[in-house]
Amino acid sequence: MRVLRHILLCAALCAHAGTTFAASFDMEQAVLRALEKNPSVHSTYLGAEAAEHGRKAALSAFGPTISAEYGYDRYNKDRPSRYERNATSFNVRMSQPLFTGWQLLSEYQKARLQQEYQQLRLEAQRLETVLQVQQAFLAHAKAQESIRSGKRALERAKNQFDMAKKAWEVGLAPRLDMLQAEVEVARAEAALISHENERDVYCERLNSLLDIPAGEKASYVGRLDAHPFKRTLEQCLERALERRPDLLMARKSAQIAMADLGIVKSRFWPRVSAVLGWTTTGSHLGADGSRYSRKDYSYANVGLSLSWTLFTSGERMHLARQARRQADAMEAAVRAAINDSTYLVRSCLISVQDAYRTVLVSEKAVASARESYANARMRYAVQSGTYLEMLTAQSALSDAELAEISSRAECLLSIARLYQSMGELHPALLEGKTYA
């Protein structure tokens, strides 16, 4: 009995180990997993953590530094003043900067700005990853919708082929109608294969973005439910100027350039530090005196250290001018970033509005195409219409359905681009549902 239970337990464990990853994601779930697992996001996050440690290191420079030094010398003969060949010394020194020409302050400000810059880079990478996932998800959903449309088109083509074949067999239609119907079936099958291939390609793309291991299965489900975008241009522009990461990064770059200018200017000023030290000497390894000096072999000292570079042949002046020009260049880059952001938001909003109007038009076109196809099919069945009319109506219906699917996908994709241009995370592309 124990052997049987052991065998069953091993079989259960093997079955569990052999199971593969299987999950189903909608758009929101796919975006949230990508934000958690995507390697590019993780890499940028680690860069932000490294910048935080750099800020803390710059803050530590305001505090004192303590150093210790030990020395041992062996001479080839007794020294005249000591009559001993060994000489050891041990020194402990503490230095506290008092004035550095605001260099430490400027360096800390620069490190803090770089840390904030890395945080903005992380936000920009998150936005870019979200857009990539949404683009791939919408393309996958579009392919799924196209497959369903393609199956309907194939079914219609097969029905037409059956009708044409029966009419030819009883002598009511020429053989040409049957051959044309057969060609239409082949075209519908080829289109369906193309849509299935597109679905598989974008499924693999989503697996890559979501860091799903190769060979493991995941499914993606979602509908192309287009909806209008209700914000005004002024609201979109205001939001973009507040939250768009690349614009904020440009501003941080300008502030970093000003911090660099402060660091360069600090070289014109003296350096003042407070010094506290303790020294002991001797002829033994412990540096605790010698046979001729059994006391007063150690001493402490306190004082001030001042250093001032008075002349550098114009180097500091030119470095200051260089830093000033770089700061001015960053200010110009900020203005360029504002103009680019304004243009991008305007163009994305126009694309969203045009795409939604296209959706409404395409829906009407599908309704008209379906009615036209039903009418042409009925006319051909009662021999009052030609097969060419029915074939044309069938082709027009298939094209209208695909155009309507494309318009809905383009509308949602335009909304995704608009959200990214404003610096907002909307995993499900719903107006009232954001993600921090």
Side-chain angles (χ1 to χ4, degrees):
M1 189 68 180
R2 290 182 179 178
V3 174
L4 179 59
R5 280 192 302 217
H6 180 71
I7 293 173
L8 292 176
L9 178 60
C10 291
L13 291 175
C14 292
H16 178 72
T19 58
T20 58
F21 176 91
S24 178
F25 299 94
D26 59 17
M27 181 183 290
E28 182 176 8
Q29 292 169 340
V31 167
L32 295 181
R33 177 181 170 87
L35 290 176
E36 180 183 358
K37 299 292 186 179
N38 186 269
S40 298
V41 175
H42 185 62
S43 174
T44 312
Y45 172 77
L46 293 178
E49 282 194 339
E52 171 63 14
H53 289 295
R55 183 194 67 82
K56 292 179 179 179
L59 181 62
S60 302
F62 287 95
T65 59
I66 300 176
S67 61
E69 182 180 0
Y70 179 83
Y72 171 79
D73 293 300
R74 173 71 175 176
Y75 295 92
N76 63 345
K77 60 181 180 179
D78 290 346
R79 293 173 292 165
S81 61
R82 296 290 183 93
Y83 301 103
E84 290 178 323
R85 293 189 177 187
N86 297 328
T88 57
S89 64
F90 179 69
N91 174 266
V92 178
R93 176 187 173 93
M94 184 182 74
S95 176
Q96 171 64 54
L98 301 178
F99 180 74
T100 60
W102 298 281
Q103 179 183 3
L104 295 180
L105 178 61
S106 298
E107 289 177 347
Y108 173 74
Q109 290 175 341
K110 179 180 178 180
R112 178 178 56 82
L113 291 170
Q114 287 175 334
Q115 185 267 337
E116 294 172 357
Y117 183 90
Q118 290 297 326
Q119 287 292 337
L120 292 172
R121 274 196 64 197
L122 174 60
E123 185 65 22
Q125 182 61 53
R126 285 155 54 91
L127 286 170
E128 181 64 26
T129 301
V130 168
L131 181 60
Q132 290 176 354
V133 173
Q134 290 172 340
Q135 286 175 333
F137 193 95
L138 291 173
H140 181 273
K142 176 184 174 182
Q144 291 278 45
E145 295 279 354
S146 299
I147 289 172
R148 286 190 280 269
S149 175
K151 288 181 178 179
R152 292 193 298 267
L154 179 59
E155 183 180 359
R156 290 193 297 265
K158 288 181 178 180
N159 291 336
Q160 292 170 12
F161 175 75
D162 293 338
M163 291 176 58
K165 185 177 181 180
K166 291 177 181 178
W168 173 68
E169 289 175 349
V170 298
L172 296 178
R175 189 167 183 273
L176 178 63
D177 289 356
M178 185 187 68
L179 295 176
Q180 289 178 336
E182 191 173 7
V183 172
E184 190 65 22
V185 170
R187 288 178 178 174
E189 290 177 344
L192 183 59
I193 292 173
S194 177
H195 296 319
E196 290 174 345
N197 179 69
E198 185 178 2
R199 176 201 59 191
D200 295 340
V201 168
Y202 282 106
C203 182
E204 292 300 323
R205 174 59 175 161
L206 285 168
N207 290 346
S208 174
L209 290 170
L210 272 60
D211 198 28
I212 295 176
E216 296 185 348
K217 295 181 179 180
S219 60
Y220 304 93
V221 293
R223 298 180 57 85
L224 299 175
D225 296 327
H227 53 272
F229 189 80
K230 298 181 180 180
R231 293 197 215 179
T232 63
L233 175 61
E234 290 74 17
Q235 291 173 329
C236 294
L237 289 175
E238 181 181 1
R239 193 65 171 170
L241 294 177
E242 290 177 356
R243 293 184 56 90
R244 189 172 166 83
D246 59 345
L247 180 56
L248 299 178
M249 287 165 63
R251 291 171 178 165
K252 292 297 178 185
S253 296
Q255 295 174 0
I256 290 173
M258 291 302 298
D260 285 331
L261 177 60
I263 293 173
V264 173
K265 286 184 175 180
S266 68
R267 299 179 62 179
F268 290 93
W269 294 90
R271 304 287 191 270
V272 181
S273 300
V275 179
L276 176 64
W278 178 78
T279 303
T280 180
T281 60
S283 60
H284 306 291
L285 294 179
D288 51 355
S290 64
R291 59 181 177 177
Y292 300 108
S293 177
R294 298 186 181 277
K295 60 179 182 178
D296 296 333
Y297 53 82
S298 64
Y299 59 90
N301 66 291
V302 62
L304 292 176
S305 172
L306 184 147
S307 65
W308 195 348
T309 302
L310 299 177
F311 183 68
T312 59
S313 300
E315 178 190 10
R316 293 177 298 186
M317 179 185 65
H318 292 297
L319 288 175
R321 290 178 179 177
Q322 179 189 26
R324 169 56 67 182
R325 295 297 181 270
Q326 290 175 344
D328 294 340
M330 291 296 102
E331 291 292 341
V334 171
R335 295 194 298 272
I338 292 175
N339 293 336
D340 292 342
S341 300
T342 302
Y343 160 73
L344 187 59
V345 171
R346 287 176 181 270
S347 62
C348 288
L349 182 59
I350 292 173
S351 297
V352 169
Q353 295 169 345
D354 291 346
Y356 187 71
R357 288 198 294 265
T358 304
V359 170
L360 299 179
V361 172
S362 63
E363 289 175 349
K364 294 179 181 178
V366 170
S368 299
R370 286 174 179 166
E371 183 178 356
S372 175
Y373 171 70
N375 188 19
R377 193 168 187 270
M378 181 189 64
R379 283 168 54 83
Y380 182 76
V382 298
Q383 298 298 314
S384 63
T386 65
Y387 181 77
L388 181 60
E389 291 176 350
M390 186 175 65
L391 188 63
T392 303
Q394 147 69 11
S395 178
L397 176 57
S398 299
D399 293 342
E401 287 181 347
L402 292 177
E404 190 259 345
I405 293 171
S406 297
S407 66
R408 286 190 282 122
E410 183 60 31
C411 181
L412 293 174
L413 183 56
S414 299
I415 292 176
R417 293 192 183 109
L418 179 57
Y419 281 139
Q420 193 228 14
S421 70
M422 293 189 297
E424 293 184 354
L425 287 177
H426 292 262
L429 293 181
L430 298 178
E431 177 65 21
K433 196 170 184 180
T434 60
Y435 181 79

